[in-house]
């Protein structure tokens, strides 16, 4: 086959399969080397879950972007800090390995919050005491999400712009989560 520019190659479009190969350059800022990867291998690597231990977490696009982040049981209130929003940047967080309602809060904040960065959207609160309700942001300044003594949660943050994360998900607990401008 004669040499062709990548832009001159025929696209597979919707016929793309997991076993198809992609060309990539490994370590482009160091010692670049040409390698191959199947679409399936790439998808698996980029979607592998991340387990956060009993610790605060500063989320990064490189390690956590597009992946499911599982938070283990916490022994104290823990803050998970999201990076500045970026359109399309997505994070999904869920509790795991809990055997009962946790005795501590898990709090989500935006790095640099309070400077025009905020959450917009809502959560479904599945109340273990009786009433199930929707919890919503104020749509203009809330950069902190407090998940109070969770029994379980599954929350997704999707960057809509350079200032806004859209939020959706569920929280199961006796105390409703709150969107605020600071921890409560």
């Amino acid at each position: 086959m004669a040499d062709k520019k990548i832009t001159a190659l025929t696209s597979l479009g919707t016929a793309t399969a997991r076993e198809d190969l992609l060309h990539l350059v490994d370590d482009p800022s160091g010692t670049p080397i040409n390698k191959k990867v199947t679409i399936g291998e790439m998808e698996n690597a980029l979607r592998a879950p991340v387990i956060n231990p009993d610790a605060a977490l500063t989320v990064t696009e490189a390690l956590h972007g597009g992946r499911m982040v599982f938070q283990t049981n916490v022994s104290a209130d823990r803050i998970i800090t999201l990076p500045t929003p970026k359109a399309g940047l997505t994070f999904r967080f869920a509790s795991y390995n809990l055997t009962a309602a946790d005795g501590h809060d898990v709090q989500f904040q935006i790095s640099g919050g309070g400077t025009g960065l905020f959450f917009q959207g809502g959560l479904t609160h599945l109340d273990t005491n009786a009433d199930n309700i929707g919890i919503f942001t104020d749509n203009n300044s809330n950069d902190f999400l407090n998940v109070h003594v969770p029994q379980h949660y599954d929350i997704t943050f999707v960057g809509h712009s350079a200032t806004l994360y859209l939020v959706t998900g569920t929280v199961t607990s006796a105390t409703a989560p709150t969107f605020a401008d600071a921890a409560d």
Side-chain angles (χ1 to χ4, degrees), residues 70-87:
F70 287 97
Q71 176 63 56
T72 190
N73 193 43
V74 295
S75 61
D77 291 357
R78 299 294 185 216
I79 295 178
I80 297 173
T81 304
L82 303 175
T84 300
K86 186 186 290 185

Side-chain angles (χ1 to χ4, degrees), residues 5 24 41 56 87 89 100 127 131 150 171:
K5 291 183 179 182
L24 63 93
E41 290 168 337
L89 180 57
D127 192 337
D131 58 337
V171 174

Side-chain angles (χ1 to χ4, degrees), residues 14-97:
T14 59
T16 301
R18 288 182 62 87
E19 66 273 4
D20 290 337
L21 295 176
L22 297 173
H23 170 259
L24 63 93
V25 179
D26 187 22
D27 196 16
S29 59
T31 307
I33 185 166
N34 290 316
K35 292 190 177 179
K36 67 179 180 179
V37 65
T38 69
I39 290 175
E41 290 168 337
M42 183 187 73
E43 286 219 355
N44 292 346
L46 294 176
R47 296 190 196 310
V50 177
I51 305 295
N52 188 47
D54 180 7
L57 175 64
T58 298
V59 177
T60 66
E61 179 179 359
L63 179 59
H64 305 98
R67 293 182 172 180
M68 184 113 179
V69 180
F70 287 97
Q71 176 63 56
T72 190
N73 193 43
V74 295
S75 61
D77 291 357
R78 299 294 185 216
I79 295 178
I80 297 173
T81 304
L82 303 175
T84 300
K86 186 186 290 185
L89 180 57
T90 302
F91 302 104
R92 184 174 172 198
F93 296 88
S95 57
Y96 103 103
N97 208 22

